[in-house]
């Protein structure tokens, strides 16, 4: 695992956006062999989306041959609902870049058949050749996508009931009203994320310090689903100083020394 500690959230965003752009360019994607990018919502990746949009506008990157798969979607929110992850992604990213509509994949939280929707999502990922790079955030309780504590570390795309901690954290997007937060979501599994060729988890702010500490220094454990990253051959955590605050001095020194060498 690589752990990259940057001074603040803005520097994390610049680094991650630059890394994604580098990977896309390096792959030289074509319509026959596109670059497949897994994407998250949440406040953490917003800076990355802003930087990628700026790079696209400055003609430094094209998304013409990029296929995207989002991590998750709330059950019961349609794409016109401002709190849906569909709405978030178009508003904050897709509407501002040249990604093709048919290349965008987001789970349909309005489906009547959850199992079918989730199975076809897994099949679509496989048909696209698997995910080249999965970007994710992490919840304060260590969840990745909506793989709440005690999710199977080999889980696949499915419906999940949200943990009280997640409902509380995410209520800030629903006017602070926990009653308005959907109680279920469709989400890729931990196994789906770990199948990606490369995984980057971003964490910023002191609220993520325990999750980062568990992910890096803790045991691989379903209580902190982010810890599954320890099993990935190309896993990377990009965090700011605050989110790295729970790591021991020795751990920080080790990662800083190898990254800055
Ligand atoms: C939600 C999403 C996760 C995200 C998490 C953290 O629960 N399902 O994918 O990582 O929130 O969000 P934020 O970046 O706003 O802290």
């Amino acid at each position: 695992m690589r752990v990259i500690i940057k001074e603040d959230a803005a520097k994390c965003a610049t680094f991650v956006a630059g890394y994604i752009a580098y990977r896309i360019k390096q792959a030289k994607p074509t319509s026959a062999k596109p670059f497949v990018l897994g994407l998250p919502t949440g406040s953490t990746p917003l800076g990355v989306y802003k930087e990628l949009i700026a790079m696209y506008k400055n003609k430094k990157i094209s998304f013409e041959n990029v296929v995207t798969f989002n991590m998750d979607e709330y059950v019961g929110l349609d794409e016109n609902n401002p709190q849906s992850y569909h709405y978030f992604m178009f508003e904050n990213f897709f509407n501002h870049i040249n990604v093709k509509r048919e290349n965008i994949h987001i789970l349909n939280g309005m489906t009547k058949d959850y199992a079918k929707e989730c199975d076809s999502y897994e099949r679509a990922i496989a048909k696209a050749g698997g995910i080249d790079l999965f970007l994710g955030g992490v919840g304060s309780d260590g969840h990745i996508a909506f793989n709440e504590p005690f999710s199977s570390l080999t889980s696949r795309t499915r419906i999940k009931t949200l943990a009280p901690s997640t409902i509380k954290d995410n209520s800030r997007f629903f006017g602070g009203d926990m009653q308005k937060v959907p109680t279920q979501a469709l989400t890729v599994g931990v196994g789906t994320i770990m199948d990606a060729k490369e995984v980057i988890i971003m964490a910023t702010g002191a609220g993520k310090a325990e999750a980062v500490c568990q992910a890096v220094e803790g045991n691989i454990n379903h209580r902190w689903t982010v810890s599954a990253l320890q099993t990935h051959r190309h896993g990377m955590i990009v965090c700011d100083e605050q989110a790295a605050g729970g790591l021991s001095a020795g751990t920080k020194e080790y990662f800083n020394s190898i990254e800055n060498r």
Side-chain angles (χ1 to χ4, degrees):
M1 181 193 285
R2 286 177 71 186
V3 178
I4 301 192
I5 304 166
K6 298 282 179 193
E7 205 178 319
D8 54 29
K11 289 200 168 75
C12 290
T14 305
F15 174 84
V16 171
Y19 190 86
I20 291 171
Y22 158 70
R23 278 294 194 226
I24 294 173
K25 280 193 255 187
Q26 189 188 42
K28 298 190 175 66
T30 61
S31 55
K33 201 177 178 319
F35 188 86
V36 185
L37 186 59
L39 293 172
T41 56
S43 44
T44 312
L46 277 173
V48 176
Y49 294 146
K50 283 203 184 92
E51 298 249 0
L52 287 173
I53 292 165
M55 283 184 207
Y56 164 69
K57 292 200 166 142
N58 292 329
K59 301 194 184 342
K60 291 199 173 118
I61 182 79
S62 169
F63 296 89
E64 195 187 349
N65 294 315
V66 174
V67 168
T68 67
F69 285 90
N70 261 82
M71 293 188 133
D72 44 16
E73 177 60 285
Y74 287 116
V75 165
L77 301 192
D78 69 50
E79 59 187 33
N80 297 316
N81 187 315
Q83 308 313 332
S84 74
Y85 286 173
H86 273 80
Y87 192 96
F88 175 101
M89 288 307 298
F90 280 90
E91 185 81 357
N92 292 300
F93 195 37
F94 298 145
N95 284 344
H96 311 284
I97 57 170
N98 64 336
V99 64
K100 291 177 188 148
R101 182 65 189 86
E102 65 269 26
N103 283 350
I104 296 171
H105 302 84
I106 309 180
L107 284 154
N108 176 14
M110 297 299 289
T111 183
K112 290 195 167 55
D113 190 337
Y114 302 124
K116 192 172 163 210
E117 173 69 13
C118 295
D119 286 352
S120 58
Y121 206 67
E122 287 279 342
R123 275 202 302 276
I125 293 172
K127 198 172 160 213
I131 291 173
D132 290 304
L133 194 167
F134 222 135
L135 175 65
V138 61
S140 58
D141 61 4
H143 73 254
I144 46 175
F146 269 129
N147 293 289
E148 299 289 26
F150 311 112
S151 292
S152 159
L153 299 185
T154 60
S155 52
R156 311 303 305 187
T157 306
R158 69 216 183 289
I159 188 167
K160 279 294 290 181
T161 297
L162 304 189
S165 53
T166 300
I167 291 179
K168 186 164 171 278
D169 283 355
N170 291 2
S171 66
R172 70 189 191 279
F173 298 112
F174 293 81
D177 186 349
M178 284 168 63
Q179 299 301 322
K180 289 195 178 136
V181 184
T183 55
Q184 291 179 307
L186 301 185
T187 179
V188 295
V190 179
T192 319
I193 299 169
M194 293 304 138
D195 277 356
K197 295 178 189 88
E198 190 167 13
V199 180
I200 301 178
I201 299 295
M202 282 183 89
T204 56
K208 304 295 171 67
E210 188 171 9
V212 169
C213 178
Q214 293 289 343
V216 179
E217 294 180 340
N219 299 323
I220 299 167
N221 190 298
H222 63 173
R223 165 64 188 84
W224 300 88
T225 56
V226 65
S227 67
L229 195 65
Q230 293 177 23
T231 66
H232 199 283
R233 280 183 294 169
H234 301 288
M236 189 193 297
I237 291 181
V238 180
C239 59
D240 64 3
E241 287 285 359
Q242 285 191 327
L247 296 175
S248 71
T251 299
K252 279 203 273 189
E253 193 187 325
Y254 169 74
F255 284 112
N256 282 335
S257 72
I258 56 169
E259 290 301 337
N260 299 326
R261 197 171 284 166

